[in-house]
């Protein structure tokens, strides 16, 4: 009866337009369906038969494949809103979700933006301003100094004020370039000398940045939820330290690292910040946490995060539903003490990318076979995806295939289920990162919770090479492969036999080529085996085919668009010099020369799309 | 010589029964069990016994020499070239210890140009290893393997005689012949005897054509007259970098036409699988080639008297293929990969493509449906005709051209000859226009494909995935050419030509072209016109294609159709 009342009193919108695609659009549509709200999908022409389009009640094509022409095309999306009469817009994440102009235009037409108000987006969108606001709201920020430092002694004084270790670099230098770490006064003097010289010579700007250095940093974020009446809650943390190139790969909630006091302190600071900017809707406050559990504000994301499902798992809240309610103007249904941590949830991001190339370079293709591991015995597996068998993973959009979330009463249970789910995930047609994910979640360091944002480069200093088999597993693999081989041989002789599926434990046969080679997926990693003693013996007589000399040609390592071509025929390039830039799936990749040489020919133009392995430039 | 040795051997063997058993390990290649039946000769004297011993020693010595081939030095040289010896090849190709060798004792009969001397030096060597009752996956076949380490594998009269003998045997019992070719060419020292040998082989190739499958695997040089034997067989496979096929070598080419060309360019695996279309597939190396050949063999029936083989199937025959629902792009000008459709539909994605690099705008090859071998023919929209590459902008999808018609026709005829059902996937906008094609005889060559489909009496199932325009619609195993089951996907368009061209003709000189075009598309760019006339049997959901093909094949296995009696048809060659 009470439930009924709540439902009745929660009348929100009749129709919502989802200005996004892929899994997040599907995710939002699911909640809308649950709440009895009509949905409108927008899509580009290539997405016209995408899953989110099929799921929605109505769909409007807003342009061609490039995101700037479709999902970022505000005019077309505004038209779609008018045509369909949607009362509110859920922006998902990415695209227009943190675009203040879009929020303004919606407000001007009286359409509700399901997200925070424009001023909060504006305030948190600027890195420097957001830090100032956070500081003012008594949120821990990374202590530091940015300005002209005249002498080494001055630098030492600043460093002592901040507290060691400190990081010194030229203000003008981007990223970690020219960064020096000092653990004491002497190292500070040395760092000052180098950095000030570099600042002067390289950038002509002698300002220095001296900042607290965070050792073994962890990326831990707090989910907040606020309404338009000044109420705000923190929904516990998410541990997102496993990253590659600043993109998260595996997330979990809660974190193994935080104690209740730290959690509470972080939560309260996050809520302070939300209140300081009159935040409403769901948002995320990101912190860096050092090895001594000191935490520092990084930034605030004013949208629904990719990894929100793990928070939903442990708190039991539907964040999208809460966002819609808040957008309609309702007060929060919960109090801080109502927010539990029930069990443990882990999310793995399944990407269409090759983990053997710098932990993941995008790959594209058509999903010729696709089965989500939802048929497992336990029900605590959630897969958020926006694709199906036959879908195309194209160069235009994010290469994420799905988010695989497992839940358990304990972390061990959640991890075991994740392992099982990863082993039972069938993806064919594109290269995917399941092998890497499986290695991460079974790695002793990960299991013990000893992780930081440097986890991947530390554990795999030479890059990811797939699962390394120990003797026992190796024998298990060989036994499975031999059984498979015999099965195939016997079958050709019309003898009765077991179907190959009975023979495998944690493995599957991917391809079997006629030349006696079997490709097996075992413990997530692909293994090639030659299965006949005679064939292996005679193979030793076969000459190695001389591979193409790759130092004088540049091939595209991935499918994408040529953004810039920095050389022309006749130019001389130095080793390491940029030759061209390929953009694929929101990522720009600079391709460099591996030796000094003269450019013989250029085979592509900026703006052209190229496939993996396509010849770009020939050197002499 | 042969008769004599058999007689002696028989007597001796009975006497020394124990001995022969004891040495049976060494004799595994021998076929000497038959004389045991001649029990009347059992009572022997010691005189014979002594004779037997010496003969026995000679037998052993000859066998040892035969197994050694051209000697260790030459075997090493063969390995160094990245090639296996004739015996290693056989070992890899056939089931372990399943073969029976004959004619191990045959030797060449030439004594000119120092050959006699040579013969003495290396004693007598089998120049070609020939196996009798060989087994691959428990199926019997006949096979010969030329030994390059003996006189460079050159063909002598005796060598040819051995090959002819097994071909005759194969014809008698109805089992396939596999030739592993590695021969320098004719034995010049023997002159006309060698040439006669070639002709004898050619004749048998022709007589066996369409009766038993014949496969040639070129594993070394194959030049001059020798090339015609592989050319007459059903399939010619090559090994990359180590095999060559040409009528005359680079030296002669240089002296006659003044062209500078390498062996590889002139007749290497790449040339023949992508330019000339002489070879059907090229493999990485000997091991790859032999194991692939082994696999390929499992698709074939033993002879034209046998039905298409059925293997136990681990892929449910009623599996729905959901990925096919979206494979044909909505824009009718956009390409997609027909291979993906084929691999998704057939058993376990297992598709043995024939000529994957030649006339790529048509895909042909073998696969299985619910375990039964089928031949697949499909237009490949992903690849423009070879000629299109020079045109800009290239037309977005493929037409049938000369090369693809011939490739398709030969494949269809093989399937028809050996009772292999044919499944055809159609997406073809017509025949390729242009002077190059017309001058090249597209009419004559296109007619081959038409002829092949029309005369085929095996079960024929056709699926129109998208375009089926004009004459090409008729050709591609249409209902009118006795297609047994013809299906259309909802994306199918069966019409005389594309909307634009049609409207230009129907409404010539009229202004409202765009409107007329839309009307034409509405009327014809869908499967209905064909379906209402019964030219397609049903419009099916793409995901059900596998299920339907499998159940239809089950029914069609009982199909019996006979063409009118004729000496042979006159296909437009």
């Amino acid at each position: 009866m009470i439930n009924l009342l709540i439902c009745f009193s929660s009348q929100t919108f009749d129709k919502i337009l989802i200005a996004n695609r892929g899994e997040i659009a599907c995710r939002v549509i699911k909640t809308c369906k649950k709440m009895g709200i009509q949905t409108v999908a927008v899509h580009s022409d290539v997405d016209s038969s995408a899953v989110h389009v099929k799921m929605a009640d109505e769909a409007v094509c807003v342009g061609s494949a490039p995101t700037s022409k479709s999902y970022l095309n505000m005019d077309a999306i505004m038209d779609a809103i008018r045509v369909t009469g949607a009362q509110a817009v859920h922006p998902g994440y990415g695209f227009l979700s943190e675009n203040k102009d879009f929020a303004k235009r919606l407000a001007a037409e009286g359409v509700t933006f399901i997200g925070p108000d424009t001023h909060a987006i504006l305030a948190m969108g600027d890195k420097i301003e957001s830090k100032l606001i956070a500081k003012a709201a008594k949120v821990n920020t990374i202590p530091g100094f940015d300005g002209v430092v005249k002498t080494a002694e001055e630098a030492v004084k600043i460093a002592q004020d901040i507290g060691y270790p400190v990081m010194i670099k030229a203000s003008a230098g981007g990223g970690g370039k020219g960064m020096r770490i000092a653990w004491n006064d002497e190292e500070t003097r040395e760092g000052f000398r180098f950095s000030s010289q570099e600042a002067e010579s390289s950038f002509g700007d002698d300002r220095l940045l001296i900042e607290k250095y965070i050792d073994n940093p962890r990326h831990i974020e707090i989910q907040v939820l606020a309404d338009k009446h000044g109420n705000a809650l923190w929904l516990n943390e998410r541990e997102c330290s496993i990253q590659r190139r600043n993109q998260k790969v595996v997330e979990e909630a809660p974190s193994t690292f935080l104690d209740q006091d730290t959690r509470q302190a972080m939560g309260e600071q996050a809520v302070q910040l939300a209140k300081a900017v009159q935040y409403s809707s769901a948002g995320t406050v990101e912190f860096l946490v050092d090895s001594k559990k000191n935490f520092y504000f990084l930034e605030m994301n004013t949208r629904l995060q990719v990894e929100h499902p793990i928070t939903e798992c442990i708190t039991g809240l539907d964040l999208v539903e809460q966002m819609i309610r808040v957008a309609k103007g309702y007060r929060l249904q919960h109090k801080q003490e109502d927010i539990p941590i029930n069990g443990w949830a882990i999310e793995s991001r399944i990407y269409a990318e090759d983990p053997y190339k710098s932990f993941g370079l995008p790959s594209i293709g058509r999903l010729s076979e696709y089965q989500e591991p939802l048929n497992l015995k336990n029900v605590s597996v959630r897969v958020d995806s926006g694709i199906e068998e036959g879908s195309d993973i194209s160069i235009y959009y994010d290469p994420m295939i799905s988010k695989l979330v497992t839940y358990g009463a304990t972390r061990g249970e959640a991890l075991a289920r994740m392992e099982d789910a990863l082993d039972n995930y069938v993806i064919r047609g594109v290269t995917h990162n399941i092998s890497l994910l499986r290695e991460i979640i079974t790695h002793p360091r990960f299991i013990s919770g000893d992780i930081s944002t440097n986890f991947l480069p530390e554990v795999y200093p030479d890059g990811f090479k797939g699962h390394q088999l120990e003797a026992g597993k190796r024998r298990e693999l060989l036994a499975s492969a031999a059984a498979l081989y015999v099965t195939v041989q016997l079958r050709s002789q019309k003898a009765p036999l077991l179907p190959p599926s009975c023979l495998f434990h944690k493995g599957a046969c991917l391809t079997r080529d006629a030349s006696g080679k079997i490709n097996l997926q075992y413990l997530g990693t692909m293994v090639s085996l030659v299965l006949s003693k005679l064939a292996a013996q005679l193979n030793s007589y076969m000459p190695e085919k001389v591979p193409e000399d790759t130092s004088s040609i540049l091939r595209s390592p991935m499918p994408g668009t040529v953004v810039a071509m920095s050389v022309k025929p006749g130019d001389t390039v130095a080793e390491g010099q940029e030759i061209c830039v390929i953009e694929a799936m929101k990522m720009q990749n600079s391709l460099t020369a591996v030796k000094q040489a003269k450019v013989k020919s250029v085979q592509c133009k900026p703006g052209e799309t190229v496939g993996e392995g396509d010849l770009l430039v020939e050197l002499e | 010589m042969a008769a004599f040795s058999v007689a002696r051997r028989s007597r001796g063997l009975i006497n020394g029964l124990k001995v022969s058993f004891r040495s049976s390990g060494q004799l595994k290649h021998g076929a000497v069990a038959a004389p045991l039946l001649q029990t009347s000769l059992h009572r022997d004297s010691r005189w014979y016994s002594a004779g037997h011993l010496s003969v026995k020693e000679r037998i052993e010595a000859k066998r040892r020499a035969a197994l050694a081939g051209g000697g260790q030095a030459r075997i090493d040289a063969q390995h160094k070239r990245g090639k296996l010896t004739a015996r290693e090849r056989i070992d890899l190709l056939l089931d372990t210890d399943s073969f029976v060798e004959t004619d191990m004792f045959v030797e060449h009969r030439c004594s000119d140009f120092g050959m006699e001397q040579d013969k003495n030096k290396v004693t007598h060597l089998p120049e070609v290893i020939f196996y009798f009752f060989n087994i691959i996956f428990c199926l019997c076949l006949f096979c010969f393997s030329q030994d390059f380490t003996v006189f460079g594998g050159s063909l002598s009269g005796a060598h040819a005689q051995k090959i002819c003998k097994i071909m005759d045997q194969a014809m008698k019992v109805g089992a396939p012949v596999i030739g592993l070719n590695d021969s320098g060419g004719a034995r010049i020292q023997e002159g006309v005897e060698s040439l006669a040998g070639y002709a004898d082989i050619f004749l048998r190739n022709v007589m066996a054509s369409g009766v038993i499958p014949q496969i040639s695997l070129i594993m070394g040089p194959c030049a001059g007259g020798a090339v015609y034997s592989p050319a007459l067989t059903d399939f010619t496979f090559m090994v990359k970098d180590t095999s060559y096929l040409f009528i005359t070598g680079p030296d002669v080419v240089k002296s006659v036409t003044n062209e500078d060309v390498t062996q590889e360019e002139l007749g290497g695996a790449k040339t023949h699988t992508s330019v000339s279309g002489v070879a059907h597939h090229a493999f990485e190396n000997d091991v790859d080639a032999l194991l692939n050949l082994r696999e390929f063999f499992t698709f074939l029936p033993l002879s034209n008297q046998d039905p298409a083989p059925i293997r136990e199937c681990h892929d449910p025959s009623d599996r729905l293929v959901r990925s096919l629902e979206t494979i044909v792009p909505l824009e009718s000008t956009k390409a997609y990969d027909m291979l993906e459709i084929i691999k998704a539909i057939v058993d376990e994605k297992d598709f043995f493509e024939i000529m994957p690099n030649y006339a790529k705008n048509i895909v042909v090859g073998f696969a299985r449906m619910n375990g039964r071998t089928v031949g697949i023919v499909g237009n490949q929209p992903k690849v423009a005709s070879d000629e299109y590459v020079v045109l800009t902008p290239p037309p977005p999808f493929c037409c049938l051209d000369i090369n693809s018609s011939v490739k398709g026709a030969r494949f269809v005829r093989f399937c028809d000859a050996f009772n292999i059902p044919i499944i055809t996937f159609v997406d073809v906008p017509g025949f390729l226009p242009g002077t190059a094609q017309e001058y090249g005889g597209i009419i004559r060559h296109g007619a081959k494909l038409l002829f092949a489909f029309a005369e085929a009496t095996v079960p024929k199932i056709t699926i129109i995935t998208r375009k089926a325009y004009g004459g090409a619609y008729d050709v591609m195993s249409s209902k009118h050419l006795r297609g047994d089951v013809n299906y259309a996907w909802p994306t199918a368009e069966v019409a005389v030509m594309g909307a634009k061209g049609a409207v230009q003709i129907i409404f010539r000189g009229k202004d409202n072209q765009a409107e007329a075009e839309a009307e034409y598309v509405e009327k014809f760019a869908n499967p209905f016109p064909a379906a209402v006339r019964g030219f397609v049997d049903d419009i099916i959901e793409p995901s059900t294609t596998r299920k339907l093909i499998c159940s239809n094949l089950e029914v069609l296995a009982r199909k019996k159709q006979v063409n009118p009696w004729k000496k042979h048809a006159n296909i437009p060659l």
Side-chain angles (χ1 to χ4, degrees), chain B residues 105-140:
Chain B
F105 297 96
V106 171
E107 54 192 70
H108 75 76
R109 303 176 283 261
C110 177
S111 55
D112 298 325
F113 307 110
M115 290 293 279
E116 177 60 32
Q117 201 186 354
D118 201 15
K119 187 164 150 183
N120 289 338
K121 199 163 61 197
V122 293
T123 66
H124 55 111
L125 297 173
E127 298 144 11
V128 59
I129 300 172
F130 137 54
Y131 288 94
F132 198 61
F133 304 130
N134 308 286
I135 315 266
I136 292 186
F137 291 125
C138 296
L139 295 169
C140 116

Side-chain angles (χ1 to χ4, degrees), chain A residues 46 48-49 54 366-370 388-391 487 489 491-500 512 514-516 534-535 538-539 541-543 545, chain B residues 79 82-84 88 91-92 95 137-138 240-241 284-288 291-292 294-295 298 310-314 322-323 326-327 330 334 340 348-350:
Chain A
V46 294
S48 51
S49 56
K54 289 185 199 161
R366 202 167 166 279
L367 289 166
S368 55
E369 220 178 316
Y370 182 75
E388 60 188 346
E389 194 166 294
S391 291
T487 306
Q489 299 287 311
R491 170 162 69 159
S492 296
Q493 298 175 5
K494 301 188 172 85
L497 40 89
L498 289 168
R512 188 176 58 75
S515 62
L534 185 64
L538 295 179
N539 253 330
Y541 294 126
M542 296 297 108
K545 300 273 167 172
Chain B
H79 284 159
K83 290 157 68 176
L84 299 177
E88 285 166 342
D91 283 347
L92 196 55
D95 289 357
F137 291 125
C138 296
K240 284 181 192 165
D241 303 325
E284 287 305 317
N285 55 43
D286 279 15
V287 174
D288 185 42
L291 292 176
N292 267 294
R294 205 175 143 80
E295 188 72 19
T298 63
I310 299 177
R311 190 176 81 171
E312 186 182 306
C313 176
H314 291 158
R322 282 186 302 133
S323 71
T326 51
I327 192 154
L330 296 175
K334 221 170 143 191
E340 253 192 75
E348 296 157 43
K349 298 193 167 54
D350 191 4

Side-chain angles (χ1 to χ4, degrees), chain B residues 53-66:
Chain B
L53 280 176
S54 86
V55 170
K56 185 152 176 42
E57 272 161 29
R58 279 173 60 196
I59 292 170
E60 298 263 313
K62 288 201 173 197
R63 277 195 200 288
R64 264 199 304 280

Side-chain angles (χ1 to χ4, degrees), chain B residues 22 39 55 57 76 86 158 188 239-240 244 247 253 297 310 332 334 359 378 388 392 394 456 493 504 512 520 535 568:
Chain B
R22 200 184 61 218
T39 46
V55 170
E57 272 161 29
D76 290 344
I188 299 168
V239 181
K240 284 181 192 165
Y244 310 100
I247 300 286
V253 170
F297 183 77
I310 299 177
S332 66
K334 221 170 143 191
Y388 268 159
T392 46
E493 308 168 15
Q504 275 168 8
N512 54 347
Y520 187 90
F535 298 159
H568 60 70

Side-chain angles (χ1 to χ4, degrees), chain B residues 192-222:
Chain B
V192 71
E193 193 174 351
S194 175
L195 293 183
Y198 275 128
D200 290 341
I201 297 170
F202 298 157
L203 176 70
R204 280 161 179 82
N205 282 139
V206 174
M207 289 301 115
S209 182
V211 181
I212 50 171
Q214 302 180 78
I215 305 165
S216 303
L217 176 55
I218 316 297
M219 310 190 80
C222 184

Side-chain angles (χ1 to χ4, degrees), chain B residues 33-287:
Chain B
L36 284 174
L37 299 171
Q38 303 175 338
T39 46
S40 61
L41 293 172
H42 198 277
R43 277 167 233 101
D44 253 324
S45 68
R46 296 177 64 140
W47 184 83
Y48 280 121
S49 209
H52 147 68
L53 280 176
S54 86
V55 170
K56 185 152 176 42
E57 272 161 29
R58 279 173 60 196
I59 292 170
E60 298 263 313
K62 288 201 173 197
R63 277 195 200 288
R64 264 199 304 280
L67 290 172
Q72 196 56 44
R74 287 188 183 149
I75 290 174
D76 290 344
Q78 181 86 345
H79 284 159
K80 211 168 240 167
R81 275 184 226 114
K83 290 157 68 176
L84 299 177
T85 65
R87 275 175 204 284
E88 285 166 342
R89 286 170 179 166
I90 291 281
D91 283 347
L92 196 55
L93 177 66
L94 305 174
D95 289 357
T96 312
D97 289 341
S98 70
F99 38 82
V100 180
E101 183 174 350
T102 61
D103 278 357
M104 197 185 239
F105 297 96
V106 171
E107 54 192 70
H108 75 76
R109 303 176 283 261
C110 177
S111 55
D112 298 325
F113 307 110
M115 290 293 279
E116 177 60 32
Q117 201 186 354
D118 201 15
K119 187 164 150 183
N120 289 338
K121 199 163 61 197
V122 293
T123 66
H124 55 111
L125 297 173
E127 298 144 11
V128 59
I129 300 172
F130 137 54
Y131 288 94
F132 198 61
F133 304 130
N134 308 286
I135 315 266
I136 292 186
F137 291 125
C138 296
L139 295 169
C140 116
L141 79 148
F142 291 78
C143 151
F144 65 86
S145 175
Q146 293 176 321
D147 193 346
F148 195 77
T149 64
V150 183
F151 303 123
S154 60
L155 189 120
S156 65
H159 181 148
Q161 182 198 326
K162 284 173 82 169
I163 295 177
C164 291
K165 195 158 147 191
I166 69 149
M167 293 187 69
D168 292 341
Q169 292 282 12
M171 285 288 279
K172 263 189 256 167
V173 302
V177 173
I178 294 179
L180 307 181
N181 299 55
D182 190 357
S183 160
R187 177 87 43 92
I188 299 168
Q189 294 92 330
E190 285 198 8
V192 71
E193 193 174 351
S194 175
L195 293 183
Y198 275 128
D200 290 341
I201 297 170
F202 298 157
L203 176 70
R204 280 161 179 82
N205 282 139
V206 174
M207 289 301 115
S209 182
V211 181
I212 50 171
Q214 302 180 78
I215 305 165
S216 303
L217 176 55
I218 316 297
M219 310 190 80
C222 184
V227 298
Y228 285 111
S229 176
L232 290 167
T233 59
D234 297 304
F235 295 99
T236 305
F237 299 126
M238 293 181 81
V239 181
K240 284 181 192 165
D241 303 325
T242 51
S243 69
Y244 310 100
L245 277 167
F246 36 65
I247 300 286
T248 50
D251 297 339
V252 181
V253 170
K254 173 77 180 162
S255 66
V256 175
T257 66
N258 207 26
E259 285 171 291
D260 275 314
V261 64
T262 63
Q263 272 198 5
E264 183 64 35
E265 286 165 5
L266 185 63
K270 196 172 172 197
T271 305
H272 285 313
T273 51
S274 62
V275 182
S276 72
V278 166
H280 295 85
H281 214 308
F283 300 106
E284 287 305 317
N285 55 43
D286 279 15
V287 174

Side-chain angles (χ1 to χ4, degrees), chain B residues 382-448:
Chain B
K382 201 181 89 172
V383 182
S385 153
D386 301 340
E387 238 181 75
Y388 268 159
V389 179
V390 294
L391 301 177
T392 46
F397 38 77
C398 79
C399 296
L400 282 174
D401 59 2
I402 294 173
N403 291 349
S404 56
S405 298
V406 175
K407 172 178 166 184
R410 181 151 171 82
F411 181 75
V412 168
R413 294 195 96 211
F414 176 84
C415 291
D416 186 42
F418 292 100
N419 314 316
I420 298 171
I422 300 165
I423 297 168
T424 312
F425 293 93
V426 184
D427 184 354
V428 60
F431 280 98
L432 181 64
T435 50
Q437 290 288 313
E438 295 291 358
Y439 295 171
I442 179 72
I443 297 174
R444 186 159 50 88
H445 297 293
K448 290 177 186 171

